[in-house]
């Protein structure tokens, strides 16, 4: 026992750890992330026989605050999911299950994704999808649609028709739609962008450097694509700050700081890193990474971002912002995402899935089709029950409320079970959480 504090009780409430000679306590029961002194750390970890009054008081104050901010996350979320009726806020519209490229690591380069009665969504299906979203919005007045593929710009006319139809519904019903689009950038011409720039957020897949990009992101005739895409983006250079750039991290693309510097120098501000998904068509997967090297590369990236950050911007653009936000704001999750809960994926033929990553040959996760009213509530229930408290590897993990459990698609591809996380992912995600906490500490020290 230390001065009024049971160290076991403290460790039950907090995950306490050391990272780069800093010491932290992350609440496991509610909002609360604290940098603590080395003395306080030694007390909690029973490494000292002579606890200081100052450190003991620091721990007592932290524990008291954590208990005040505690809430029953489990009942708060599971009670909200006890009703299996759909309550939607967004849709992925798979408007093009085809692509003009043949990127070797892409999860969509598989028959079960492309095997659809249509490769391009028609407007009747897109319109019905929007109506379906409106029917299931459960009173929401802000809704989102993400145009997805394949390459969605191969079906650009449908994008324009969807925007027009949604605008009519906004005026009729007093709603607000937001739109996003993920593209390889080859068809992102000025002519097209000028027509959608005020309505649609754009994410471009670009793998950091010409050499890395052209290794994996090639045409169907095996031609490189970097120069093609950069030519389009250069023609839109005044908009570069508006684009999100998505970098796929492979075992060949581990110098993350260098990749970030290169893309930042091109004028891009919001740069997102995502590890290549498991069991994709190329055999490339984060399961094969040198995990120690990858963690070190994220460390170096964080140090670079801390070095260049502007105190007036706070933490500023950062590939780990989603984790930083969860820690800093106490925005806890019991699901990895909203897949199958408040969002669904619609294929070109109108089939409904929780997520595009869960399209399989046997249509195991198919929920129904928007052209009829037959909804398989068993699939909705499976997804609703797939929260961290029902996952053996997650329910006792210190990182569960920030992580929310691994991506269902990654789990399924890696382990054959949407509730079974991949071990390598877990190790990497925990490290990213520690980096995010360290980044918060260092930025605060510098006045950010």
């Amino acid at each position: 026992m230390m001065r009024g504090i049971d160290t076991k009780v403290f460790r039950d409430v907090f995950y306490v750890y050391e990272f780069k000679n800093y010491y932290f306590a992350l609440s496991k029961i509610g909002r609360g992330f604290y940098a603590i002194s080395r003395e306080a750390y030694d007390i909690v970890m029973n490494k000292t026989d002579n606890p200081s009054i100052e450190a003991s008081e620091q721990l007592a104050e932290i524990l008291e605050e954590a208990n005040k901010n505690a809430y029953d996350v489990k009942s708060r979320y599971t009670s909200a999911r006890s009703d299996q009726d759909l309550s939607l806020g967004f849709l992925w519209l798979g408007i093009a299950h085809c692509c003009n490229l043949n990127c070797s690591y892409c999860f969509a380069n598989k028959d079960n994704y492309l095997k659809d009665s249509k490769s391009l969504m028609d407007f009747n299906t897109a319109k019905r999808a929007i109506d379906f979203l409106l029917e299931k919005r459960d009173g929401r007045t802000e809704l989102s649609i993400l145009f997805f593929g394949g390459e969605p710009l191969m079906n650009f006319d449908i994008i324009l028709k969807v925007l027009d139809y949604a605008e009519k519904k906004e005026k009729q019903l007093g709603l607000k739609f937001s739109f996003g689009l993920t593209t390889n950038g080859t068809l992102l011409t000025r002519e097209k962008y000028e027509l959608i720039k005020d309505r649609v957020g754009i994410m471009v897949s670009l793998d950091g450097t010409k050499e890395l990009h052209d290794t994996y992101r090639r045409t169907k005739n095996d031609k490189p694509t970097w120069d093609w895409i950069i030519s389009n983006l250069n023609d839109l250079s005044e908009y570069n700050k508006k684009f999100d750039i998505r970098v796929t991290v492979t075992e060949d693309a581990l110098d993350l700081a260098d990749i970030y510097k290169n893309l930042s120098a091109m004028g891009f501000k919001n740069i997102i890193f995502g590890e290549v998904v498991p069991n994709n068509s190329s055999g490339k997967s984060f399961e094969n990474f040198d995990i120690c090297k990858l963690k070190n590369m994220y460390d170096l990236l964080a140090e670079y971002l801390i070095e260049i950050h502007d105190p007036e911007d706070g933490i500023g653009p950062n590939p780990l912002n989603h984790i930083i936000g969860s820690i800093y704001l106490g925005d806890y999750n019991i699901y990895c995402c909203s897949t199958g809960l408040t969002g669904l994926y619609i294929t070109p033929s109108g089939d409904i899935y929780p997520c595009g990553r869960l399209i399989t040959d046997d249509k195991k996760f198919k929920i129904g089709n928007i052209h009829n009213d037959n909804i398989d509530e068993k699939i909705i229930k499976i997804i609703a029950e797939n929260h961290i408290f029902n996952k053996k590897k997650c329910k006792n993990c210190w990182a569960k409320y920030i992580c929310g459990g691994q991506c269902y698609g990654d789990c399924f591809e890696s382990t054959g079970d949407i509730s079974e996380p991949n071990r390598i992912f877990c190790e990497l995600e925990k490290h990213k959480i520690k980096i995010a906490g360290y980044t918060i500490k260092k930025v605060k020290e510098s006045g950010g």
Side-chain angles (χ1 to χ4, degrees):
M1 294 283 292
M2 63 185 182
R3 295 174 186 267
I5 298 294
D6 185 322
T7 57
K8 182 181 183 303
V9 169
F10 193 95
R11 292 195 301 272
D12 286 342
V13 173
F14 287 97
Y15 175 67
V16 182
Y17 65 96
E18 179 272 335
F19 190 79
K20 293 182 176 290
N21 295 319
Y22 286 86
Y23 304 89
F24 302 97
L26 175 66
S27 175
K28 295 187 280 187
I29 64 171
R31 291 179 175 85
F33 175 75
Y34 306 89
I36 61 176
S37 67
R38 171 61 188 269
E39 287 183 303
Y41 175 82
D42 286 345
I43 292 171
V44 175
M45 305 307 289
N46 297 322
K47 292 186 175 183
T48 179
D49 296 325
N50 187 29
S52 73
I53 295 175
E54 182 179 359
S56 298
E57 288 179 348
Q58 180 191 26
L59 294 172
E61 290 173 3
I62 288 173
L63 185 58
E64 181 180 359
E65 185 173 330
N67 285 322
K68 286 180 180 179
N69 292 330
Y71 51 74
D72 188 346
V73 180
K74 184 174 180 179
S75 64
R76 176 186 175 193
Y77 283 84
T78 54
S79 62
R81 306 301 180 196
S82 60
D83 183 355
Q84 302 307 323
D85 291 338
L86 286 173
S87 176
L88 299 180
F90 71 94
L91 292 178
W92 287 279
L93 283 189
I95 62 171
H97 274 206
C98 55
C99 189
N100 58 336
L101 301 188
N102 188 35
C103 303
S104 60
Y105 54 52
C106 183
F107 76 87
N109 274 347
K110 296 166 65 173
D111 288 343
N112 60 19
Y113 187 85
L114 301 175
K115 200 177 289 181
D116 197 284
S117 59
K118 297 179 180 179
S119 60
L120 294 175
M121 184 178 288
D122 60 34
F123 180 60
N124 183 50
T125 301
K127 178 176 177 292
R128 176 62 194 128
I130 295 172
D131 290 342
F132 179 77
L133 175 59
L134 293 173
E135 292 165 10
K136 304 294 184 181
R137 64 189 173 97
D138 195 24
R140 289 182 175 85
T141 57
E142 296 185 359
L143 304 170
S144 299
I145 291 176
L146 177 64
F147 298 110
F148 207 71
E151 174 47 55
L153 291 179
M154 293 183 73
N155 204 3
F156 188 69
D157 288 344
I158 295 301
I159 292 174
L160 296 180
K161 290 180 180 180
V162 167
L163 294 176
D164 286 344
Y165 185 67
E167 185 174 353
K168 292 177 182 177
K169 290 299 180 181
E170 284 178 326
K171 293 176 180 178
Q172 290 174 5
L173 302 173
L175 305 175
K176 177 64 177 177
F177 279 94
S178 61
F179 297 90
L181 183 150
T182 299
T183 176
N184 61 39
T186 59
L187 304 180
L188 187 62
T189 61
R190 176 171 287 275
E191 180 183 10
K192 287 188 175 73
Y193 186 66
E194 292 287 353
L195 293 174
I196 63 174
K197 65 180 182 181
D198 296 326
R199 294 299 311 270
V200 183
I202 302 292
M203 176 179 287
V204 182
S205 297
L206 199 63
D207 283 354
T209 67
K210 176 179 171 66
E211 180 181 5
L212 288 170
H213 180 97
D214 285 341
T215 298
Y216 297 108
R217 305 189 64 81
R218 304 181 72 84
T219 69
K220 294 185 182 299
N221 295 323
D222 199 32
K223 302 295 184 182
T225 61
W226 174 269
D227 289 340
W228 183 6
I229 298 164
I230 294 303
S231 177
N232 286 343
L233 294 175
N234 284 342
D235 190 41
L236 294 166
S237 59
E238 70 267 36
Y239 300 113
N240 278 1
K241 290 182 179 180
K242 295 180 64 175
F243 298 147
D244 294 338
I245 301 298
R246 204 274 188 188
V247 178
T248 297
V249 179
T250 65
E251 67 266 38
D252 301 315
L254 293 183
D255 193 343
L256 305 183
D258 186 61
I259 290 171
Y260 189 94
K261 292 175 188 177
N262 186 56
L263 292 171
S264 182
M266 295 168 65
F268 302 114
K269 297 301 180 185
N270 194 20
I271 302 164
I272 302 161
F273 291 92
E275 288 71 42
V276 65
V277 301
N279 295 342
N280 55 83
S281 56
S282 69
K284 301 287 185 183
S285 169
F286 63 68
E287 296 168 297
N288 303 320
F289 285 176
D290 179 337
I291 189 66
C292 292
K293 183 176 181 181
L294 182 55
K295 289 194 289 187
N296 184 58
M297 288 297 120
Y298 271 107
D299 290 350
L300 294 175
L301 173 62
E303 295 290 1
Y304 172 70
L305 293 172
I306 291 166
E307 177 186 338
I308 66 169
H309 97 279
D310 184 343
E312 293 186 0
D313 293 336
I315 293 172
N318 190 307
L320 297 176
N321 266 354
H322 63 294
I323 299 177
I324 290 171
S326 291
I327 294 173
Y328 195 69
L329 301 175
D331 185 16
Y332 286 2
N333 309 292
I334 71 162
Y335 296 97
C336 68
C337 71
S338 299
T339 286
L341 300 169
T342 59
L344 295 172
Y345 187 95
I346 312 297
T347 72
S349 61
D351 285 344
I352 305 169
Y353 285 88
C355 171
R357 294 284 307 284
L358 295 179
I359 299 174
T360 61
D361 286 332
D362 60 6
K363 299 189 176 183
K364 176 179 181 178
F365 296 102
K366 180 180 173 181
I367 293 171
N369 188 285
I370 58 168
H371 294 298
N372 58 56
D373 295 325
N374 296 322
I375 299 296
D376 189 344
E377 293 187 356
K378 295 192 301 293
I379 305 301
I380 302 296
K381 185 175 181 180
I382 287 171
I383 298 298
E385 292 180 348
N386 192 39
H387 50 69
I388 52 177
F389 302 110
N390 285 337
K391 296 181 179 182
K392 293 180 180 178
K393 290 185 178 179
C394 297
K395 61 184 179 180
N396 294 318
C397 176
W398 63 266
K400 61 181 180 289
Y401 291 132
I402 298 173
C403 169
Q406 189 181 6
C407 163
Y408 304 144
D410 284 354
C411 288
F412 185 73
E413 291 281 8
S414 180
T415 68
D417 184 346
I418 64 171
S419 65
E420 181 76 9
N422 174 278
R423 179 186 61 82
I424 298 297
F425 167 86
C426 292
E427 184 177 348
L428 180 59
E429 191 71 4
K430 290 175 183 176
H431 190 74
K432 288 181 180 179
I433 292 170
K434 291 181 178 180
I435 295 172
Y438 171 76
T439 300
I440 292 171
K441 168 67 175 173
K442 295 291 286 185
V443 167
K444 283 187 174 181
E445 283 184 346
S446 65

